Amino acid sequence: MERFIAIPELRYTVFTFLESPDLLNCAQVCRSWKDDALSVRWRFCCVEMRELMGQLAWVYEVGEDLDGDYSFYNKLEASVEDFDKGDWHAFLKLTAKIHILSMPSQPFHPDSVELVKELVATYGGPLFPNLRRLEILTSAKSSPMVSLGLVTGLTSVLMYGLDAYGDDDGFEEIFSQVAESCPGIRDLRIVTECARSGPIFSVFPKLRSLSYGMGMLFAESWSSLARCTNLAELGIWSVSLEEGAENSLPEGLEFGSLKELRIRKMDDEAALVLLDGTRMPLLQSLLLEKVELTEEEEKDLSDRLKARCPDLKHIDFV
């Protein structure tokens, strides 16, 4: 085993199967293990923004009243004059290793965000050139910080725990930022109680997988998915459908590429409105979980769907 793990290429491969805490333990063994373990961790594990910024400068917590609202922020204890080109390029080299980045629930102070932007303007970039997934676990106050992680190569975004937004405007601000900066998103996960106007998902034309929970679902939101011509996997849960949606869905609505659909914790009438009002010719799998249908309604729905979806192989009522 010792000889095996001493081979750098094999050791690196083994490390890719470990979780972040295990990699940190491996980094304590020796210098060669440290280099490989940290390299794997930066590349394959989710890196939290505060930890990353801690590689640039000391990060401390500060409470301030900004715009009439007292909140706590992360803040960098540094100024542009504290860095030279070599310091900044070393940090850029580190950000280039990161593929998955998480924005913390406690936002960075606007001054710290401006500091990073000023360093980019002074010494160059780009930040996170290889970033593929961004996890936004935060509030509207973090809108400036989120912009740092919106890079053109981003393909996956998670917006979670956005109850802290408190209003629809905050969610719309972040959602619009992501849509404008990263049109190539293919995987989107949204969990929020604040999307009360219903997102328009077609702003992501390359979308292949969508999970949407806790928010509002308007006829326009559902209809916009028909314009996501690559959408193959869709999950909705604990969402509320606007009143009168059955009269608002366009005639002939079709999700032409959808193969897997999961509906959880939804009013039975709302679920039937969506299923009966939408053609899904390539649908292969349907899950209805905690959708209260009688046995007769389940049988009738199964018969209708099998007649309309020739590829449908699995219908599960849980």
Side-chain angles (χ1 to χ4, degrees), residues 200-215:
I200 303 302
F201 300 109
S202 55
V203 294
F204 301 106
K206 297 183 179 180
L207 195 64
R208 294 181 56 87
S209 176
L210 170 67
S211 177
Y212 178 55
M214 304 298 290

Side-chain angles (χ1 to χ4, degrees), residues 80 83 85 88-89 115-125:
V80 174
F83 304 94
K85 190 173 183 178
W88 179 246
H89 281 193
L115 169 62
V116 175
K117 290 182 177 180
E118 190 173 349
L119 286 168
V120 171
T122 303
Y123 296 120

Side-chain angles (χ1 to χ4, degrees), residues 148-159:
L148 298 178
L150 297 179
V151 298
T152 54
L154 206 62
T155 58
S156 177
V157 169
L158 165 68
M159 301 181 188

Side-chain angles (χ1 to χ4, degrees), residues 8 96 110 178 207 217 255:
V178 175
L207 195 64
L217 189 64
F255 295 174

Side-chain angles (χ1 to χ4, degrees), residues 14 36 55 57 96-97 99 101 111 151 173 175 209 219 240 261 268 276 295 306 315-316:
V14 170
D36 285 345
Q55 304 294 316
K97 298 178 180 179
H99 287 210
L101 180 67
D111 289 350
V151 298
E173 182 180 347
F175 187 82
S209 176
S240 302
L261 174 61
D268 57 330
D276 286 332
E295 288 187 11
K306 286 177 180 178
I315 304 179
D316 296 317

Side-chain angles (χ1 to χ4, degrees), residues 216-271:
M216 225 17 225
L217 189 64
F218 279 66
E220 188 178 3
S221 303
W222 183 258
S223 301
S224 72
L225 291 171
R227 299 191 291 276
C228 299
T229 56
N230 296 310
L231 186 67
E233 180 183 349
L234 172 61
I236 56 175
W237 54 278
S238 297
V239 298
S240 302
L241 187 64
E242 69 166 322
E243 187 175 349
E246 65 274 14
N247 300 318
S248 303
L249 292 178
E251 188 175 347
L253 184 64
E254 179 175 300
F255 295 174
S257 58
L258 190 66
K259 295 182 178 180
E260 181 178 346
L261 174 61
R262 301 180 303 276
I263 300 178
R264 295 185 172 96
K265 297 182 180 179
M266 192 173 190
D267 176 77
D268 57 330
E269 292 185 5

